[in-house]
Amino acid sequence: MATSILISARILGVALIALAGLPYSYWLLLGSKMALFSACMLGLFGLAACVRIRANPDTLNGKHIVVTGCDTGIGLALCQRLVRHGAVVYAGCLQVNSDGIAALAKEYPDKVFPIQMDVTSDAQVAEAFRQVDDRLCEGADGGHFLWALVNNAGLQFSGDVELTTLGQAQKIMDVNYFGLLRVTKAFLPLLRERPGRLINVSSIRGRCAWPLAGPYTASKFAVEGLSDTLRLELARFGIPVVLSEPSHYGGATGMLSDEARIRAEFEQQWTNAEPHVQEAYGREYLDAVCAAVLSGAATSHPNLDPVLDDLLDALASDAPKDRYLTAGTNSPWLDAYKWQAFARDWAPATLHDAFNSWFSLSGLRLPASAAERLRQTRRGWFQ
């Protein structure tokens, strides 16, 4: 070892002596080459940092996981994926006898345990905790531990803020935010035992606001803020807190496919609107928004695979990312939602708002009378 160090030192000394005799222009050339080399190396290191090797989901074999909102959509699909990798799933459902979860529980009777869990009910969440706790304590080796809680239960609907009823806004906040908070507080004692991890399913609308989804966006912004706070507070207990932020998957989840529900929600908005609000927006505008929402199912990502891949990585990785922003339209490379979410952090608000309005509101016309009044108001600004 000493001989190798001595030889290396001598070589370095000879090199320095040789370089000392070079003209100044050579030193400038050498410096520029070193700067280029350093830039290239930094670029390679940055690229390597962006390339993430997915965790092996088979490591979830035997792990116990609670998932909420398993009647349909992401929750049901995640349960199906988890049991294939050997995980034990406690599937919180609004209706435990719903077709999808009932069939899955019949196929995997020792892996899937449907549990009645309306996340807006204190009593049902407390009873769900008791059932999970009892099953965890039944292990022959002295009991099992809760590996993860996935807060997935959620609602979505659309409409202008002025048209959305307070009841609708309250309902979506009760499920998407207060429901998530209620379940988290109930299951944290189990997560602290090992410790486990907490995964909250938010939305790309938790990163960036779009028109026609004010209450939903507000609920997801609340989930993001709560999750960031929990990540700081629970780090002391070794509990990772992860956010899943799916983009446009409304068609794949079924949220944009239930035409009867969506039409009923818009009808409720129109019926409860004050006459001056109806006059300002017009029935044709409301019908056009409803049609635009229903047509959104055709432009969403055709399946949930990218979201599930990210969720499995968040569950299986030794070092999960804080956020998984999952692109998702029928053309993922042109996901305008994702690029707007990125642009929100650096683009001027006027530019961002202009593109957002064009992207979301083009083709949706207010009544001629309302548009004329708006033009008259604008003229008054310059008189």
Side-chain angles (χ1 to χ4, degrees):
M1 175 65 75
T3 303
S4 300
I5 294 175
L6 181 59
I7 293 174
S8 300
R10 287 176 177 173
I11 293 175
L12 180 59
V14 172
L16 289 174
I17 293 171
L19 289 173
L22 291 175
Y24 181 66
S25 58
Y26 283 89
W27 279 102
L28 289 177
L29 179 63
L30 180 62
S32 63
K33 288 184 177 180
M34 289 299 295
L36 179 62
F37 174 76
S38 300
C40 291
M41 292 303 296
L42 286 173
L44 289 174
F45 281 125
L47 181 62
C50 294
V51 177
R52 181 182 178 87
I53 300 175
R54 293 281 188 180
N56 182 5
D58 288 337
T59 59
L60 296 173
N61 183 42
K63 300 290 195 302
H64 292 246
I65 300 169
V66 172
V67 183
T68 66
C70 297
D71 301 77
T72 57
I74 293 175
L76 177 59
L78 179 59
C79 290
Q80 292 168 341
R81 279 279 200 99
L82 287 173
V83 295
R84 291 192 209 127
H85 294 289
V88 178
V89 183
Y90 304 95
C93 301
L94 193 60
Q95 302 292 335
V96 291
N97 57 353
S98 57
D99 294 340
I101 201 65
L104 191 64
K106 184 177 181 180
E107 184 178 358
Y108 299 94
D110 58 338
K111 295 291 185 182
V112 179
F113 301 98
I115 297 176
Q116 180 75 39
M117 196 194 308
D118 178 353
V119 297
T120 66
S121 168
D122 289 334
Q124 288 194 18
V125 171
E127 174 61 20
F129 171 83
R130 186 194 63 78
Q131 292 183 37
V132 172
D133 190 33
D134 287 347
R135 287 192 176 275
L136 290 174
C137 293
E138 289 176 359
D141 56 353
H144 301 289
F145 295 91
L146 184 61
W147 176 256
L149 166 63
V150 182
N151 279 312
N152 165 73
L155 290 178
Q156 178 185 10
F157 61 78
S158 303
D160 291 77
V161 171
E162 194 172 11
L163 286 164
T164 303
T165 69
L166 287 178
Q168 289 174 331
Q170 181 70 51
K171 182 178 180 180
I172 203 166
M173 191 63 77
D174 283 345
V175 174
N176 292 3
Y177 174 69
F178 287 108
L180 180 148
L181 177 59
R182 180 178 288 107
V183 175
T184 299
K185 287 172 68 69
F187 283 89
L188 273 178
L190 294 180
L191 292 177
R192 272 198 299 268
E193 289 183 2
R194 173 58 63 163
R197 60 188 63 188
L198 175 64
I199 300 173
N200 293 332
V201 178
S202 176
S203 166
I204 198 168
R205 293 185 187 270
R207 291 274 292 271
C208 185
W210 281 269
L212 310 177
Y216 178 77
T217 299
S219 71
K220 293 304 183 180
F221 267 61
V223 168
E224 299 264 337
L226 177 67
S227 300
D228 285 341
T229 301
L230 285 169
R231 186 177 65 252
L232 295 169
E233 294 177 350
L234 299 182
R236 295 170 293 182
F237 300 103
I239 300 175
V241 178
V242 179
L243 272 163
S244 169
E245 300 169 327
S247 184
H248 187 18
Y249 288 87
T253 62
M255 284 187 172
L256 296 180
S257 305
D258 190 348
E259 182 174 350
R261 175 187 61 81
I262 292 173
R263 290 192 181 280
E265 288 169 352
F266 277 102
E267 188 63 36
Q268 185 181 5
Q269 291 177 14
W270 181 256
T271 302
N272 287 275
E274 296 289 341
H276 65 88
V277 177
Q278 292 181 343
E279 181 186 1
Y281 288 87
R283 182 65 198 231
E284 289 186 2
Y285 170 82
L286 191 77
D287 292 340
V289 173
C290 181
V293 171
L294 290 171
S295 66
T299 61
S300 82
H301 199 279
N303 58 63
L304 295 171
D305 289 343
V307 179
L308 299 177
D309 290 341
D310 281 348
L311 285 172
L312 285 176
D313 186 73
L315 287 164
S317 174
D318 291 335
K321 297 196 295 184
D322 296 332
R323 279 175 164 79
Y324 290 80
L325 178 58
T326 311
T329 65
N330 52 3
S331 180
W333 289 107
L334 298 175
D335 186 353
Y337 297 98
K338 178 180 177 180
W339 294 115
Q340 285 183 74
F342 282 136
R344 178 181 178 269
D345 296 331
W346 54 265
T350 50
L351 178 62
H352 181 268
D353 288 354
F355 179 80
N356 203 331
S357 296
W358 170 82
F359 178 75
S360 304
L361 298 176
S362 59
L364 301 175
R365 305 301 180 193
L366 293 171
S369 58
E372 178 61 27
R373 283 197 301 274
L374 181 59
R375 284 194 294 272
Q376 292 293 342
T377 302
R378 286 174 175 169
R379 290 193 194 105
W381 292 343
F382 300 100
Q383 291 177 356

